[in-house]
């Protein structure tokens, strides 16, 4: 039986030379991505900003709730094809995407470091990254010696991930790049009786697979977690689940992991990811998580 800790844990992304949450407030945030500064909506920044004279190279202006979407307003000096950034040994291309992201989630920094700590004494641990996006996390763990299976339903995202591997000089690393529906792939891995030392899951609230499959977090997450639990065994080390932009509690995620991973023993913990603001040290919450470790 897994031991569940209900005391929330904070995993904080600190300001770095390549990225910083510079300031935040009144429903917006000012961030530095490499040499560029951007303003994006941030509903959780309910306080007043430290300064009111933000200077940025671009801003994402959301549309109305009825219309959804939105668009970037960028200065001419922001390269449309993106610009290079680095995370430890990993180089990657940051870019203003139509979904208001910049092809990289800096709040995952402490998550990747947590995996490195859990796997550091294993030789070539086997790891799966579901919903792997542009591959920064995959490459961060591969650089630390893990063998990776990177899964994402978006061909564009997997292409970007492979390009980032080339930019990092990591094309020869043992990484399988899979374009597939994450839930279907995990189910097939169960039927193939595969096992992993570690699994990272970063699912969206809603998504589509390459063949039109529909992903709805509230409907499909439990089945995916159950399958991932079957891919772990008594020698496995850890699993991490993050959830963004939903009305859900970290305690609910912890209870789900407790049900599906109870056969593994170990410890289940819950908490929040947050980014520390550079201006005042305020913590801006970004996601909830639940994690299991042996």
């Amino acid at each position: 039986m897994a031991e569940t800790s209900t005391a929330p844990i904070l995993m904080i992304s600190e300001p770095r030379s390549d990225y910083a949450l510079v300031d935040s407030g009144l429903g917006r945030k000012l961030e530095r991505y490499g040499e560029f500064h951007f303003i994006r909506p941030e509903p959780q920044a309910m306080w007043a900003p430290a300064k009111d004279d933000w200077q940025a190279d671009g801003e994402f202006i959301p549309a109305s709730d009825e219309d959804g979407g939105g668009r970037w307003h960028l200065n001419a000096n922001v390269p449309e094809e993106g610009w290079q950034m680095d995370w430890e040994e990993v180089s990657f291309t940051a870019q203003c995407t139509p979904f208001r992201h910049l092809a990289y989630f800096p709040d995952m920094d402490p998550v990747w470091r947590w995996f490195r700590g859990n796997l550091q004494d294993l030789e070539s641990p086997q790891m799966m990254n579901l919903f792997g996006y542009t591959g920064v996390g995959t490459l961060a763990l591969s650089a630390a010696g893990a063998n990776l299976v990177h899964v994402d339903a978006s061909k564009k995202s997997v292409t970007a991930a492979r390009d980032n591997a080339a930019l990092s000089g990591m094309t020869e690393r043992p990484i399988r790049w899979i374009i597939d529906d994450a839930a279907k792939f995990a189910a097939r891995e169960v039927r193939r009786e595969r096992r992993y030392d570690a699994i990272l899951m970063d699912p969206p609230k809603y998504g589509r697979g390459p063949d039109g499959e529909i992903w709805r977090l509230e409907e499909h997450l439990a089945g995916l977690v159950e399958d991932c639990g079957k891919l772990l065994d008594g020698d496995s080390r850890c699993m991490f689940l993050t959830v963004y932009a939903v009305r859900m509690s970290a305690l609910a995620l912890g209870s789900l992991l407790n049900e599906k991973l109870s056969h593994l023993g170990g410890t289940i913990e819950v908490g929040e990811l947050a980014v520390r603001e550079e201006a005042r040290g305020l913590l801006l919450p970004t996601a909830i998580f639940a994690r299991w470790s042996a």
Side-chain angles (χ1 to χ4, degrees):
M1 190 75 177
E3 178 183 350
T4 301
S5 172
T6 57
I9 295 171
L10 280 178
M11 298 182 73
I12 302 169
S13 178
E14 302 287 354
R16 303 185 298 278
S17 60
D18 65 317
Y19 169 81
L21 172 63
V22 179
D23 197 1
S24 61
L26 300 180
R28 301 191 304 165
K29 57 185 175 182
L30 173 65
E31 299 167 288
R32 184 180 73 251
Y33 278 79
E35 61 183 289
F36 301 105
H37 288 74
F38 299 100
I39 298 171
R40 294 192 288 165
E42 182 47 72
Q44 299 205 80
M46 296 178 284
W47 45 85
K51 297 182 179 180
D52 57 8
D53 58 344
W54 289 0
Q55 301 297 314
D57 300 289
E59 181 172 2
F60 188 89
I61 306 297
S64 68
D65 290 340
E66 291 78 12
D67 296 332
R71 66 186 300 269
W72 285 99
H73 293 259
L74 301 172
N75 295 340
N77 62 330
V78 178
E80 184 177 343
E81 69 279 7
W83 60 97
Q84 181 176 327
M85 289 180 57
D86 299 290
W87 186 92
E88 300 289 348
E89 309 95 325
V90 178
S91 296
F92 59 94
T93 298
Q95 189 176 30
C96 297
T97 74
F99 305 102
R100 84 178 59 184
H101 306 307
L102 287 102
Y104 161 59
F105 295 107
D107 57 338
M108 292 295 288
D109 169 271
V111 178
W112 302 330
R113 298 184 190 278
W114 181 81
F115 272 103
R116 284 187 169 198
N118 275 283
L119 300 174
Q120 62 183 347
D121 62 331
L122 292 182
E123 183 176 350
S124 301
Q126 304 297 312
M127 181 173 174
M128 180 164 61
N129 185 4
L130 293 172
F131 311 95
Y133 196 38
T134 58
V136 183
T138 292
L139 296 171
L141 275 299
S142 180
N147 295 340
L148 266 294
V149 176
H150 173 104
V151 184
D152 199 284
S154 167
K155 181 178 179 180
K156 183 177 181 180
S157 292
V158 175
T159 298
R162 296 178 72 106
D163 289 343
N164 286 333
L167 192 63
S168 302
M170 295 174 63
T171 55
E172 301 303 315
R173 288 291 305 156
I175 303 172
R176 293 175 58 203
W177 304 104
I178 307 294
I179 302 171
D180 202 350
D181 176 81
K184 285 187 174 181
F185 180 80
R188 285 199 301 272
E189 290 288 86
V190 171
R191 293 194 293 271
R192 289 188 283 248
E193 299 185 350
R194 298 281 173 82
R195 53 92 49 198
Y196 289 90
D197 293 299
I199 298 175
L200 170 58
M201 285 185 286
D202 189 21
K205 180 179 180 180
Y206 176 85
R208 287 185 178 272
D211 296 319
E213 302 94 339
I214 300 296
W215 166 268
R216 291 186 177 89
L217 187 80
E218 292 85 351
E219 296 178 21
H220 301 126
L221 181 60
L224 177 59
V225 171
E226 181 172 2
D227 280 341
C228 287
K230 295 174 183 177
L231 297 173
L232 302 170
D233 60 25
D235 294 322
S236 299
R237 291 299 180 88
C238 52
M239 185 171 85
F240 202 102
L241 167 65
T242 61
V243 170
Y244 294 78
V246 294
R247 294 179 180 178
M248 191 180 292
S249 166
L251 293 175
L253 297 183
S255 296
L256 176 61
L257 262 62
N258 195 352
E259 177 191 28
K260 304 301 185 184
L261 276 65
S262 61
H263 61 289
L264 296 172
T267 302
I268 293 169
E269 298 168 304
V270 301
E272 293 192 41
L273 301 184
V275 180
R276 191 183 305 279
E277 184 194 271
E278 195 174 51
R280 295 162 292 184
L282 295 178
L283 294 180
L284 178 66
T286 61
I288 58 175
F289 73 81
R291 67 189 192 188
W292 168 82
S293 59

